[in-house]
Amino acid sequence: MTRGLLDAPMETPTIPPPQDEGEKQVLAKLVEIQDKLLLRKLDRTTYIRTQDVMTLYDETTKQVKRLNEIRSGKSVEENRVDSCFQLLSLFFMTIGRNNEAPAAYSLTSTIKRLLDHLTEADLFSAKDLDSMSHTLEHLSEIIHESSSDEPNPWLETLIASRIERCRASLTKLQKKVEDIAEPLRPTAEKLVSILRQMAMINTKSKFHPKDIHKFELQLKEIDEMRKDGNFVDEQGNVLQGSDGVVSLLKRCQLYTGVVLERGGKFPDKWRPIYDVFIGIRNDLDKLSLTQAWSLRETDLYDFQRQLDKIDESRVDGNWIDEDGQPAELYVQRTLLYLIRRSYGYIYHLMISSEPVSEALLPIYNQLQTLKRCLLEVKNSGGVSSVRELYPYSMKLNSIDNMRVDGKFMVADDIPEGQGSVIDLLSECFELNYELRVAAEDAASRSQTPDVR
């Protein structure tokens, strides 16, 4: 499941420029469109309107149709032309059109990066792969439905090929998990978790050795599970995948010593790039905690662009200093952990994105909070009187009264995500009604004299 810690690093693929003259022309046009999107992204004075995005989407459609004609019948490796769709894709998520083909593009590019890094680090768990497998299935369904609705699909063709490339990488990693005997997989998962937790501790602002010592004890317990150096079943037979898990155990033990020796100190000459990674990771961590209230999906583009630029600056899989010397393995592994962690946050933020326009998100988020409160009240036994429900009822009615002809309007616009918001409003009204009926029944029973 993992190579040794001291193995030579593997290079995560970079995105090369196009070689075909026609593709170069398409790239120039797409860059112009991307510049317009960047200007719109910077404007925080108004929410992003559907019509603004769709105008630029139509311009992009023309270029991708041309791109598909150029590539027809050819086997083409992905290049920088393909990366131009990332920002447009995030705009689709921002306006709430998450379940359409363009929005799927941003997720496929993030999954591709994650799979490349998991392959390079050779450190992953079944949970990592299960999540991405589920997401790819969902994206495939979106593409299938979009293709059937669109007589001349363009982006669907591009995304479908990206999904297949992701699946190919995913299958290779899944095969490594499957090669480990079922009884041994929890141990492998535990070791992956330990190594990642130690990597996190190693990159904290304050390093405490005691945080690492507790993992030393856990590793000792796992080591003691071995018999004659192997992991065996109850009959003493060596379990399939034992060699790989033993290698992972040794990697954890070696890393423990390295981390304690370093004491949280990072080489000064690599500090600038390290600080950039730490800043990105911390910002994304904060966003993951406040996503519902503070995230505009297009903001993720800036993080991705920074990460991509640093990732692609590597030479033969390693970062190079000013003197042309490659980073030592400790530095390489630490930076690779940080970049993978950052892409992991981006992936989480994307799959957690609600199919609601940012214009309706304030209402949607209020309803989400109301629903959580009402469920908590219900699960804790309800209310003792109807009066306790007045604040919830007043808030729900005030939100309901914002609708015009059944729709939530912003000026003259009807933002995307009406169905999601109205469904959530209905759920809250239903919960409120159930609590009110239960309170009235309880009050009625208490007033009925007990005649025996």
Side-chain angles (χ1 to χ4, degrees):
M1 192 169 185
T2 175
R3 295 191 309 273
L5 181 65
L6 299 179
D7 286 355
M10 224 179 99
E11 184 175 7
T12 292
T14 58
I15 302 177
Q19 300 300 315
D20 182 272
E21 193 59 42
E23 287 201 21
K24 289 179 181 178
Q25 294 173 10
V26 170
L27 176 61
K29 290 290 184 182
L30 289 173
V31 168
E32 288 181 17
I33 296 169
Q34 187 169 269
D35 288 342
K36 294 177 184 177
L37 288 168
L38 284 169
L39 286 173
R40 182 64 192 88
K41 184 181 83 69
L42 292 171
D43 183 6
R44 310 289 296 208
T45 59
T46 59
Y47 77 93
I48 295 172
R49 300 184 307 164
T50 299
Q51 51 265 47
D52 296 338
V53 177
M54 296 312 293
T55 299
L56 295 172
Y57 171 78
D58 291 339
E59 290 182 33
T60 304
T61 302
K62 296 175 184 176
Q63 296 306 316
V64 180
K65 282 181 178 178
R66 185 180 171 194
L67 179 64
N68 283 343
E69 290 171 1
I70 294 169
R71 291 180 173 180
S72 179
K74 300 177 184 177
S75 176
V76 181
E77 289 295 322
E78 188 170 304
N79 59 53
R80 283 180 196 160
V81 173
D82 304 87
S83 65
C84 287
F85 308 119
Q86 183 71 15
L87 184 54
L88 178 64
S89 180
L90 291 170
F91 265 92
F92 263 73
M93 296 180 79
T94 303
I95 62 175
R97 300 178 80 153
N98 299 40
N99 295 319
E100 297 184 24
Y105 183 92
S106 57
L107 260 170
T108 60
S109 70
T110 303
I111 290 173
K112 182 68 169 61
R113 287 276 180 182
L114 274 175
L115 288 170
D116 286 341
H117 289 134
L118 291 176
T119 300
E120 178 178 2
D122 202 10
L123 186 75
F124 51 89
S125 69
K127 291 178 183 178
D128 296 330
L129 307 184
D130 289 345
S131 174
M132 285 186 275
S133 179
H134 176 76
T135 302
L136 289 172
E137 280 299 320
H138 175 62
L139 296 181
S140 293
E141 291 172 8
I142 291 174
I143 298 305
H144 177 72
E145 291 173 7
S146 299
S147 298
S148 59
D149 294 338
E150 174 62 53
N152 295 304
W154 55 274
L155 191 57
E156 290 85 345
T157 304
L158 179 64
I159 297 175
S161 66
R162 289 170 66 84
I163 290 174
E164 288 310 308
R165 281 197 290 272
C166 288
R167 277 183 171 153
S169 297
L170 186 65
T171 299
K172 291 177 182 177
L173 297 180
Q174 287 172 328
K175 177 67 167 58
K176 290 189 175 185
V177 173
E178 291 165 4
D179 285 343
I180 299 174
E182 191 74 40
L184 195 50
R185 289 178 193 175
T187 302
E189 295 271 331
K190 178 67 174 176
L191 289 170
V192 169
S193 175
I194 288 174
L195 197 51
R196 287 180 173 175
Q197 289 180 75
M198 288 196 294
M200 180 188 69
I201 292 166
N202 183 48
T203 55
K204 280 185 174 181
S205 57
K206 291 185 179 179
F207 178 79
H208 299 291
K210 65 178 181 179
D211 294 334
I212 298 296
H213 290 317
K214 67 179 181 181
F215 292 116
E216 283 185 307
L217 295 175
Q218 293 179 32
L219 292 172
K220 184 179 179 182
E221 291 174 3
I222 293 173
D223 198 6
E224 290 172 351
M225 293 165 56
R226 293 195 288 163
K227 184 177 181 180
D228 296 329
N230 298 308
F231 290 98
V232 300
D233 61 17
E234 293 177 358
Q235 288 73 42
N237 300 312
V238 178
L239 288 165
Q240 181 180 340
S242 174
D243 288 347
V245 179
V246 169
S247 175
L248 179 55
L249 172 61
K250 291 179 178 178
R251 179 174 172 180
C252 288
Q253 292 169 330
L254 180 57
Y255 188 67
T256 301
V258 171
V259 171
L260 287 171
E261 180 185 344
R262 297 282 178 155
K265 296 177 181 177
F266 206 73
D268 289 339
K269 69 175 178 179
W270 294 106
R271 196 78 203 187
I273 188 173
Y274 176 82
D275 288 341
V276 170
F277 275 143
I278 291 291
I280 292 173
R281 184 199 62 180
N282 292 348
D283 287 345
L284 287 169
D285 182 43
K286 291 175 188 174
L287 270 179
S288 70
L289 297 175
T290 61
Q291 174 184 10
W293 302 97
S294 60
L295 177 68
R296 177 188 262 190
E297 284 80 1
T298 51
D299 292 340
L300 296 176
Y301 180 75
D302 294 331
F303 293 113
Q304 285 182 311
R305 191 164 59 171
Q306 275 185 289
L307 291 170
D308 292 350
K309 185 177 180 181
I310 298 173
D311 197 18
E312 293 174 17
S313 69
R314 293 194 277 166
V315 178
D316 295 329
N318 207 337
W319 282 279
I320 306 298
D321 65 18
E322 294 178 354
D323 300 322
Q325 297 300 310
E328 60 178 296
L329 194 58
Y330 169 76
V331 171
Q332 162 80 351
R333 290 298 183 184
T334 302
L335 296 180
L336 185 59
Y337 160 76
L338 287 171
I339 198 169
R340 186 206 59 78
R341 184 68 176 149
S342 295
Y343 277 116
Y345 273 123
I346 290 172
Y347 170 74
H348 169 74
L349 289 166
M350 284 183 177
I351 63 174
S352 303
S353 174
E354 299 289 353
V356 175
S357 166
E358 66 168 337
L360 293 185
L361 272 180
I363 298 172
Y364 187 82
N365 291 333
Q366 289 178 58
L367 289 171
Q368 287 276 45
T369 302
L370 276 170
K371 181 181 175 181
R372 282 194 293 271
C373 291
L374 289 167
L375 282 171
E376 191 171 325
V377 170
K378 181 180 178 180
N379 294 333
S380 61
V383 294
S384 56
S385 71
V386 175
R387 184 180 296 276
E388 292 178 46
L389 292 172
Y390 284 178
Y392 303 109
S393 300
M394 291 175 64
K395 184 61 179 178
L396 287 171
N397 285 319
S398 70
I399 292 175
D400 193 31
N401 290 335
M402 294 168 66
R403 292 200 279 174
V404 178
D405 296 328
K407 297 181 179 65
F408 289 97
M409 307 282 289
V410 177
D412 296 328
D413 294 331
I414 304 175
E416 302 282 345
Q418 297 286 327
S420 297
V421 178
I422 291 170
D423 286 347
L424 187 53
L425 178 62
S426 299
E427 287 181 50
C428 289
F429 269 121
E430 184 66 27
L431 282 168
N432 195 57
Y433 175 75
E434 289 176 12
L435 289 167
R436 180 166 63 83
V437 169
E440 289 173 347
D441 286 347
S444 176
R445 285 195 300 272
S446 66
Q447 293 172 7
T448 301
D450 186 6
V451 181
R452 297 184 182 179

